[in-house]
Amino acid sequence: MLNESVWPLLYIGLSSMAVPASINAHMAIEQEIARIAGLRETHAAMEWFRSHEPELRDWQLEVAAIAAPPFGEGPRAHWLRSRFGELGLEEAQVDRLGNVLGVRPGADRNANLIAITAHVDTVFSAETPLNIRREGDRLCGAGISDNGAGIVGLLALASALRSVNLAHSAGLLFIGNVGEEGEGDLRGMRHIFCESPWKDRIGPTVVLDGAAIDTVVTQGLGSRRFQVTIQGPGGHSWSDFGVPNPIVVLSRAIARFSRTELPAEPKISTNVGVISGGTSVNSIPESATMRVDIRSASKDEMERVERALREAVEQAASEYPKRSRNGSKGISYEIQLIGCRPAAELDPNARILRVIRAVDAHLGNRARLHRASTDANVPLSLGREAISIGAGGSGGGAHTLQEWYDPAQRDVGLQRVLLTVLALAGVPK
Ligand SMILES: [Zn+2]
């Protein structure tokens, strides 16, 4: 999961707005959850989560140790495909884009599949020392929770269902998708939902991202990302002194952009996440680059701040001639859109939301609705039902080398996933 913000609407608030018909529907779903939870096979699956925790940790350490930078998820995807095969998922495959898929068929072969997804990519480059290790009861290292926890959630669900032979009506489509983080720009999910042969076979989607079970992401935070490149003639720091310096121009643009006024509501955030440029301390650089991230649930605000970014760069560049006095090239710039995620929102009356609320009520789990940028943005933006939730346990330090994961009570998170998926798929009486 990427950056997130609380949407201060508790379940209790939604219930009070509900009309009688939906209260009836809600009660029916609660009864159905209680029935499914009371089945012998469901108990056995829940027990499987508890008794197999040591194996889940081993999987998590193993998968997190395989580097999976954006556009370099191949080795991790192949590892996951092998596990899907071992767990008896049908049609286990890595698709053209690198997504891993496998099906657990349901009794009703014509029903839409329930997709359970977890992104396999990390924010870390191929060279990053991931340093995956145990520290007491904790698992540590880059990517261990985001999304080691989600990937293990897929495997735990597939494995438990198989071992207890639990029948469900709709089939389950397990997906380890590429391209959730950063420059990946949700490419894995876009492919699955817009181009792949699966796109019309998928019903509701449950995204597993990270650990925490105190949230349900129902609003897709939008984002626009830019790469800004300033170019100049470059030269020797002494003999060419006076030639415009792209790093200085870029710095001025950043200073100007950072003064852009941002409202508290609707919330909008900006970040200059990467800067690079130059070759040596005694060379005037030929180019300097930055990457900028703008996020909001408000499209209008994002457009306004995008204009401010363009003006800041234009202003900074315009302080220097486009052509220097001796006719050589002066300062030029380019602003490239490198990421665009749709803002989107789940219908508050969607069945998937009623199901997870009923599951949380059954488990005594208090969860808030959240707004975030996750893989769920893609199905949500297409008007499909989707939520993003954690896979249990707890974690911290996401997107840093200090990331950690604590598997205590992971089984509660997995029970939550299991009951949600079974209720969506339907369990024959
Ligand atoms: Zn994530």
Side-chain angles (χ1 to χ4, degrees), residues 63 96 101 106 119 130 142 171 174 190-191 210 226-228 245 255-256 278 291 296 300-301 333 335 362 368 391 422:
V63 71
R96 181 163 73 70
L101 300 108
H119 70 85
L130 302 173
F174 290 83
R190 281 186 219 270
H191 175 74
F226 300 90
Q227 175 159 300
V228 178
N245 182 324
R256 194 180 285 271
R291 289 188 166 184
S296 181
D300 292 350
E301 269 304 305
Y333 69 87
I335 301 174
H362 181 83
R368 294 165 305 183
L422 288 177

Side-chain angles (χ1 to χ4, degrees), residues 128-350:
T128 307
L130 302 173
N131 197 17
I132 303 300
R133 66 200 187 277
R134 289 175 201 263
E135 273 185 17
D137 285 340
R138 280 187 171 190
L139 312 181
C140 299
I144 192 73
S145 180
D146 180 14
N147 196 16
I151 297 169
V152 166
L154 291 184
L155 296 176
L157 182 64
S159 198
L161 288 172
R162 184 192 203 199
S163 84
V164 305
N165 199 19
L166 211 160
H168 39 85
S169 302
L172 311 182
L173 177 61
F174 290 83
I175 302 174
N177 59 281
V178 297
E180 193 270 346
E181 303 282 12
E183 294 92 87
D185 208 25
L186 307 182
R187 67 193 178 98
M189 291 294 263
R190 281 186 219 270
H191 175 74
I192 288 163
F193 282 89
C194 301
E195 294 161 33
S196 82
W198 304 95
K199 67 179 165 60
D200 298 321
R201 293 178 58 193
I202 300 176
T205 299
V206 178
V207 174
L208 303 182
D209 198 344
I213 62 165
D214 58 350
T215 58
V216 181
V217 176
T218 56
Q219 288 197 331
L221 189 60
S223 69
R224 290 176 77 77
R225 290 165 179 175
F226 300 90
Q227 175 159 300
V228 178
T229 305
I230 313 279
Q231 286 187 305
H236 190 280
S237 63
W238 173 255
S239 54
D240 295 314
F241 181 64
V243 159
N245 182 324
I247 290 181
V248 173
V249 178
L250 186 72
S251 306
R252 289 182 179 227
I254 294 171
R256 194 180 285 271
F257 177 57
S258 67
R259 290 195 293 270
T260 306
E261 290 204 25
L262 305 176
E265 197 52 48
K267 183 177 171 177
I268 181 158
S269 70
T270 65
N271 185 48
V272 179
V274 178
I275 58 171
S276 59
T279 50
S280 73
V281 69
N282 57 346
S283 303
I284 299 166
E286 289 178 69
S287 80
T289 297
M290 68 169 163
R291 289 188 166 184
V292 183
D293 170 80
I294 301 171
R295 293 171 179 242
S296 181
S298 160
K299 195 165 151 279
D300 292 350
E301 269 304 305
M302 282 203 292
E303 284 170 3
R304 182 183 70 81
V305 174
E306 177 184 341
R307 282 196 300 278
L309 172 67
R310 292 180 182 279
E311 277 164 27
V313 174
E314 163 67 31
Q315 284 287 335
S318 70
E319 290 164 12
Y320 298 87
K322 290 205 169 52
R323 210 154 261 292
S324 65
R325 257 167 286 154
N326 63 12
S328 69
K329 127 181 130 143
I331 286 292
S332 63
Y333 69 87
E334 187 189 2
I335 301 174
Q336 224 183 322
L337 182 69
I338 56 169
C340 180
R341 295 172 182 236
E345 192 175 332
L346 181 66
D347 178 348
N349 290 312

Side-chain angles (χ1 to χ4, degrees), residues 51 55 69 89 152 175 317 375 402-404 411:
S51 59
E55 284 104 302
L89 296 184
V152 166
I175 302 174
D375 279 323
Q402 284 72 46
E403 191 169 352
W404 57 270
D411 61 309

Side-chain angles (χ1 to χ4, degrees), residues 393-404:
S394 53
H399 297 193
T400 76
L401 299 180
Q402 284 72 46
E403 191 169 352
W404 57 270

